[in-house]
Amino acid sequence: QQQVKQSPQSLIVQKGGISIINCAYENTAFDYFPWYQQFPGKGPALLIAIRPDVSEKKEGRFTISFNKSAKQFSLHIMDSQPGDSATYFCAATSYDKVIFGPGTSLSVIP
Amino acid sequence: EAQVTQNPRYLITVTGKKLTVTCSQNMNHEYMSWYRQDPGLGLRQIYYSMNVEVTDKGDVPEGYKVSRKEKRNFPLILESPSPNQTSLYFCASSQRGPAPNTEAFFGQGTRLTVV
């Protein structure tokens, strides 16, 4: 079965610090790698995404690093804020399917 | 307002009693899908639909049915719910399939408890 692995399961970061979440995939047919952010009681919402022909993408404080040969990608949140506290899911998509990682619960403490 | 609407938000039912969770989107999206979210497992795709009258199984389709008779609606049907289907369910839609640069929009979720 196709899998996307994600670590850590939970993460506590001080305000202003860097949060790093890592993901790894197996299927080389995946062609898009989005990250979703989910607040309690809400559905996931797209945060940032990357294509496999790009090694890095930055949007504000959020950066995706992508290593195609290692089949790994990561989310970096710079200057983490309490408002970033949420669950983060990495995902990998192909033509018709989306496979999500198990999620990372991020808590940013003042 | 562009949105995906699920109903009900909360549902407690008994084993074996058929139920339907509705999902409607107002963005004229072609692709719709259902997920279940369980602790430590993330979101797992149940069924998806590339367009009207076209549906296909995701990773965990057992015990579920769907239909796509209209573009905007994609109900999830549990013919005979069992306790292992207790979960948080999300419906999502996107303009096309999960292709690059295509954003998926999620509903607010339906928390289902089967006793």
Side-chain angles (χ1 to χ4, degrees):
Chain A
Q1 185 176 1
Q2 301 175 27
Q3 268 193 325
V4 175
K5 297 179 181 178
Q6 183 173 347
S7 63
Q9 185 174 10
S10 62
L11 182 60
I12 300 175
V13 173
Q14 286 222 304
K15 179 182 175 182
I18 303 173
S19 304
I20 301 174
I21 305 170
N22 300 300
C23 286
Y25 63 98
E26 299 173 351
N27 189 341
T28 55
F30 291 135
D31 58 4
Y32 193 54
F33 300 88
W35 285 87
Y36 284 83
Q37 180 187 55
Q38 184 182 30
F39 293 106
K42 302 291 186 182
L46 180 66
L47 181 64
I48 186 173
I50 196 168
R51 298 177 63 143
D53 54 348
V54 176
S55 62
E56 186 176 281
K57 183 174 182 180
K58 183 176 181 179
E59 290 184 359
R61 297 184 294 109
F62 300 91
T63 300
I64 301 177
S65 297
F66 190 86
N67 186 329
K68 189 174 181 177
S69 61
K71 293 188 283 186
Q72 295 175 346
F73 57 111
S74 60
L75 176 69
H76 293 63
I77 306 174
M78 312 299 288
D79 187 25
S80 298
Q81 299 297 312
D84 297 330
S85 297
T87 300
Y88 292 81
F89 295 97
C90 62
T93 79
S94 60
Y95 166 69
D96 57 354
K97 284 193 173 182
V98 185
I99 308 295
F100 284 88
T104 296
S105 178
L106 171 65
S107 296
V108 182
I109 55 176
Chain B
E1 179 189 358
Q3 59 186 2
V4 177
T5 303
Q6 292 179 229
N7 280 297
R9 292 290 311 278
Y10 303 91
L11 179 59
I12 301 175
T13 190
V14 296
T15 299
K17 185 176 181 180
K18 181 180 178 180
L19 66 91
T20 299
V21 183
T22 64
C23 175
S24 181
Q25 50 93 4
N26 63 0
M27 295 169 278
N28 201 36
H29 285 170
E30 292 185 354
Y31 184 89
M32 298 186 74
S33 59
W34 276 101
Y35 301 87
R36 60 177 289 173
Q37 183 176 1
D38 301 289
L41 297 177
L43 293 121
R44 293 179 292 168
Q45 195 171 39
I46 303 170
Y47 270 93
Y48 62 94
S49 170
M50 296 290 285
N51 213 324
V52 175
E53 300 293 357
V54 180
T55 63
D56 212 339
K57 297 177 181 179
D59 291 322
V60 289
E62 294 77 21
Y64 304 95
K65 285 176 58 177
V66 293
S67 68
R68 187 92 182 274
K69 292 183 170 56
E70 306 167 279
K71 199 171 190 177
R72 63 183 294 125
N73 296 322
F74 191 45
L76 179 69
I77 303 159
L78 285 72
E79 294 270 3
S80 182
S82 63
N84 65 11
Q85 293 177 297
T86 293
S87 187
L88 178 59
Y89 291 86
F90 286 100
C91 179
S93 74
S94 58
Q95 181 60 47
R96 300 165 291 160
N101 303 319
T102 301
E103 179 177 357
F105 294 84
F106 284 80
Q108 292 280 69
T110 295
R111 185 164 293 282
L112 172 65
T113 302
V114 184
V115 298

